[in-house]
Amino acid sequence: MLDRISTTLIRIMLGIFMVLLSLGVLLGTLGKLESPSYVLALLMAAGLFLLGLWIWPRFRPRLSLPRRRPGVFLTGLLLALFCFGLNLIWVLNFQLGPTVDFYTFYETSCQMAAGERVNWLYLGLFPHILGYSTFLSWFFRLFGSSPQVAALVNVGLTTLSGVCIYLLCLRWAGYPAAAFGFFFWSICPSKLLYNSMVMSEPLYTCCILLFLLLLSLACDELLSFRVRCLLALPLGALCGVLLLSINVVRPVAMILFIAFFLWLFLLRGKAMKDWKAWALLALFTLAMLFSYARCSDQWRRWEYLHVYEPTSSIPAYNIYVGLNPDSMGSYSEADMDLLWNYRYDPEKGSAVYAQEQMLQEAKKRLTSGEINFPRLFAVKLAKLVGSDEGGAFYAQAALSNLQFRFWSLLSNVYYYLLVILCLIGAAALFRRPPRSTVYMAPLYSIGLILAHLIIEVSGRYKYSLIPMLILIACFSLSHLRLPRFSHR
């Protein structure tokens, strides 16, 4: 009975995921017929998919024969070198000066590396800047404060993320899927462009993938019960540290917490009847929560040493902007000015006060009757998952008009091809739901999409969604209906 209920809930969850992703792409392509490049990119992606259907059967038999393929370790090593080399060549030849938010990250990191007092007025309002800047300042102290150092750090984080994708796919979907996932991540066009920027996305995305990998290892049924008992506490503690690291860099850890508990109590199928599995996960969860709480206390002390005042735990400004009917949930100069007016209030001005007032403003905006919610959500969904040209947009200053169009088209073709494969992979999971931690990927994706229907939205906020789509897309490889070929 529990297994049947869990299977039903899994299918409902996957259905929601597929609807959100499909609707976002349709709104971003067919909903923007005034810009035919999006439809062109979608048609090109469909053409590449059909070409892949013709090519894949010629390689799949070879990958399925252990004697005719490199070992798992050698394959991972070669793909890691390829990922590292490709991204390294790119950042060495395409350099960008930090601007806007990226300049804030860069300047704060430089000040911390030099031991100077940072701009605490800004950090108090947006404390997540301190998280990434603290991390980057370690490398600035060692190698100098050039923006190129940040780009090289991004290359290392990208490669480590690829290794995590490879290992997760290997555990969930097998060798061919793992090789495909790592390769597909390595060539992601928008990621190449983003790697040249001083931005936090590569860091917290890597931490998210490490969290999923450690969770998968803690639930590995191939290990004996005794070994899993020994691993539960240290793996849980490490996951707590990772979740805190994610939250201080980008406050999305709550999405992972919710996804974890939904998976724990609803989506584990027959394992929900196994008392040993419950005992192991109880140890893991307690260690994770304890570690997160203790590390959070330490981080608050570190934060106070640099911000010099309490910070708000609610991103009220981002909610207020996300409900802006004029900017359609994107950055608004007027909203930022209002935030600073509260911040510089001569009597009560503080970070907490400013965010509290922005929360009240958000409630007023929410109940004002001026918001067309269906239109607002449709536009925001299209901005977040309708295309993937954010990398080209942020690199526009260093690109010619022709180069900008090329990278926008290339990024969108890649993204739409990934979406097609992801939808097929999700359908495969829908048809035969396995007992696996793989459901953390669509759960996180749903949470991220729904969260940005409320809070401020930007194209680059989809960065951590790309690896999740790749992880799900890997299940499409073994479920595509392909013609059979002789294996002689």
Side-chain angles (χ1 to χ4, degrees):
M1 184 64 179
L2 281 175
D3 186 30
R4 184 175 298 179
I5 294 173
S6 181
T7 299
T8 301
L9 292 174
I10 287 171
R11 288 174 173 164
I12 292 174
M13 180 270 296
L14 290 170
I16 294 172
F17 168 75
M18 289 189 284
V19 167
L20 287 173
L21 188 59
S22 302
L23 184 59
V25 170
L26 290 176
L27 290 170
T29 53
L30 299 181
K32 295 183 178 179
L33 292 178
E34 68 277 6
S35 301
S37 62
Y38 296 107
V39 176
L40 175 62
L42 182 59
L43 292 175
M44 292 175 67
L48 285 175
F49 172 72
L50 294 175
L51 179 63
L53 283 181
W54 181 77
I55 294 175
W56 174 242
R58 289 155 175 77
F59 288 92
R60 184 178 176 185
R62 297 180 183 180
L63 291 173
S64 301
L65 297 175
R67 294 182 181 179
R68 303 185 65 176
R69 72 186 187 195
V72 170
F73 176 79
L74 180 59
T75 300
L77 178 61
L78 292 175
L79 286 169
L81 292 174
F82 170 75
C83 180
F84 182 82
L86 176 65
N87 287 272
L88 179 63
I89 291 171
W90 172 258
V91 300
L92 291 177
N93 288 277
F94 185 77
Q95 301 180 17
L96 284 172
T99 57
V100 199
D101 290 346
F102 307 141
Y103 181 78
T104 303
F105 283 128
Y106 173 70
E107 185 65 20
T108 305
S109 301
C110 289
Q111 291 172 346
M112 295 186 70
E116 299 175 359
R117 180 169 177 169
V118 298
N119 184 358
W120 61 276
L121 288 173
Y122 200 80
L123 289 183
L125 294 171
F126 305 104
H128 66 275
I129 294 173
L130 181 64
Y132 175 67
S133 299
T134 298
F135 172 80
L136 188 58
S137 68
W138 301 338
F139 294 92
F140 280 0
R141 288 192 186 100
L142 291 174
F143 305 109
S145 56
S146 167
Q148 192 68 10
V149 174
L152 294 173
V153 170
N154 289 341
V155 172
L157 292 170
T158 292
T159 306
L160 181 56
S161 294
V163 172
C164 291
I165 291 172
Y166 180 74
L167 294 175
L168 285 167
C169 289
L170 197 64
R171 298 174 63 82
W172 291 342
Y175 174 84
F180 165 80
F182 202 163
F183 175 78
F184 211 66
W185 167 250
S186 301
I187 64 172
C188 177
S190 62
K191 174 187 57 60
L192 285 174
L193 291 165
Y194 282 134
N195 274 349
S196 298
M197 307 173 194
V198 185
M199 61 190 306
S200 60
E201 276 73 8
L203 175 58
Y204 74 78
T205 298
C206 183
C207 290
I208 290 171
L209 290 168
L210 284 170
F211 169 77
L212 295 181
L213 183 59
L214 293 181
L215 175 60
S216 176
L217 181 59
C219 300
D220 192 346
E221 295 182 352
L222 296 178
L223 299 175
S224 68
F225 180 72
R226 180 176 298 179
V227 171
R228 281 187 287 165
C229 284
L230 293 174
L231 291 175
L233 290 176
L235 289 179
L238 285 174
C239 282
V241 174
L242 285 171
L243 287 170
L244 190 277
S245 301
I246 293 165
N247 215 48
V248 301
V249 174
R250 188 76 188 173
V252 296
M254 183 56 65
I255 298 174
L256 287 168
F257 271 117
I258 294 172
F260 171 77
F261 284 108
L262 286 174
W263 168 81
L264 177 65
F265 291 110
L266 299 175
L267 306 181
R268 291 189 298 117
K270 293 180 180 178
M272 296 178 68
K273 300 178 182 179
D274 186 353
W275 70 268
K276 290 184 178 180
W278 277 111
L280 286 168
L281 285 169
L283 289 174
F284 175 90
T285 304
L286 289 173
M288 180 179 71
L289 295 176
F290 178 79
S291 174
Y292 181 89
R294 291 301 300 270
C295 292
S296 183
D297 291 339
Q298 296 300 320
W299 175 256
R300 287 195 195 97
R301 295 188 181 94
W302 172 261
E303 186 179 74
Y304 191 81
L305 289 174
H306 293 82
V307 179
Y308 307 106
E309 64 175 334
T311 58
S312 175
S313 59
I314 301 176
Y317 163 78
N318 301 92
I319 298 173
Y320 183 68
V321 174
L323 296 173
N324 190 321
D326 298 322
S327 67
M328 284 296 155
S330 296
Y331 174 80
S332 168
E333 190 70 33
D335 291 348
M336 179 61 76
D337 290 342
L338 179 61
L339 174 67
W340 282 110
N341 286 338
Y342 286 124
R343 183 67 179 85
Y344 285 115
D345 186 284
E347 296 182 2
K348 301 179 181 179
S350 69
V352 173
Y353 173 77
Q355 291 287 16
E356 286 177 348
Q357 296 308 305
M358 294 306 294
L359 184 60
Q360 297 304 315
E361 295 289 347
K363 292 177 180 178
K364 292 178 184 177
R365 178 172 279 178
L366 185 64
T367 57
S368 66
E370 299 177 355
I371 303 175
N372 183 339
F373 285 102
R375 182 169 179 266
L376 177 66
F377 292 158
V379 171
K380 295 182 74 175
L381 186 61
K383 283 182 181 179
L384 185 65
V385 297
S387 62
D388 190 32
E389 57 192 11
F393 173 79
Y394 287 107
Q396 192 170 2
L399 300 172
S400 67
N401 190 40
L402 182 61
Q403 289 173 330
F404 172 73
R405 292 181 180 181
F406 169 78
W407 280 103
S408 295
L409 181 63
L410 182 64
S411 298
N412 286 334
V413 170
Y414 170 95
Y415 175 68
Y416 295 140
L417 177 59
L418 175 58
V419 168
I420 292 171
L421 294 173
C422 180
L423 291 173
I424 295 173
L429 291 172
F430 185 94
R431 183 181 178 188
R432 295 181 180 178
R435 289 170 55 187
S436 171
T437 53
V438 67
Y439 301 116
M440 288 291 295
L443 281 171
Y444 172 77
S445 302
I446 293 171
L448 188 71
I449 293 171
L450 293 180
H452 283 95
L453 294 183
I454 303 299
I455 65 175
E456 181 183 3
V457 69
S458 174
R460 79 173 192 267
Y461 296 160
K462 182 173 62 273
Y463 187 101
S464 64
L465 191 64
I466 299 296
M468 304 300 139
L469 300 185
I470 292 175
L471 290 171
I472 300 169
C474 287
F475 286 89
S476 67
L477 300 185
S478 59
H479 290 79
L480 292 174
R481 297 298 182 182
L482 302 171
R484 295 184 179 180
F485 290 80
S486 173
H487 290 189
R488 294 179 183 177

